[in-house]
Amino acid sequence: MKVGMLALLTAASVGLFGCAHTAMRGSVAMKTSDNEAHVCMGEGEVKPGDRVRLFKNVCHSKGPSGAYSGAGAGCEKKEIGEGTVKEILNQHYSLVKFDQGIQVEEGTFVEKL
């Protein structure tokens, strides 16, 4: 019984963490300065000099309970600005420098142009 439970937990952990990078792809993982951040796009996805566009989700129509509900509820992808990949840090992350005046926040996301 204990061996079966251990096998099940191991399989679940591998399943969850094995796809973690895919789920985070493109997200701003860590802001390193006012206009630079580590972005979850690494080797094979981008290269130094590539241009990226920064976005955030803007959600609207909260109901009385504070939850998003109703016919007008939804989220919209809003462009914030652009940046340039400066360095590939490893297979998962790169350093991106965003254009002057762009507000970078953890949780925003980028797409390669």
Side-chain angles (χ1 to χ4, degrees), residues 35 80 98-104:
N35 66 340
I80 300 171
F98 293 94
D99 297 343
Q100 191 68 26
I102 303 300
Q103 295 243 334
V104 181

Side-chain angles (χ1 to χ4, degrees), residues 23-29 38-41 52-58 75-81 98 103-112:
M24 290 179 49
R25 186 186 171 283
S27 64
V28 173
H38 291 180
V39 174
C40 192
M41 294 175 94
V52 295
R53 187 166 286 147
L54 183 68
F55 296 92
K56 70 177 179 179
N57 284 317
V58 177
C75 297
E76 177 182 344
K77 184 167 92 172
K78 181 179 177 193
E79 181 181 333
I80 300 171
F98 293 94
Q103 295 243 334
V104 181
E105 298 176 16
E106 293 174 8
T108 53
F109 58 97
V110 300
E111 294 177 359
K112 182 180 171 185

Side-chain angles (χ1 to χ4, degrees), residues 38-91:
H38 291 180
V39 174
C40 192
M41 294 175 94
E43 292 173 353
E45 296 176 280
V46 292
K47 61 186 183 304
D50 282 350
R51 295 287 290 167
V52 295
R53 187 166 286 147
L54 183 68
F55 296 92
K56 70 177 179 179
N57 284 317
V58 177
C59 299
H60 46 84
S61 294
K62 280 189 179 181
S65 67
Y68 291 96
S69 62
C75 297
E76 177 182 344
K77 184 167 92 172
K78 181 179 177 193
E79 181 181 333
I80 300 171
E82 296 182 5
T84 303
V85 175
K86 299 311 264 181
E87 178 184 353
I88 304 301
L89 301 172
N90 58 38
Q91 68 184 37

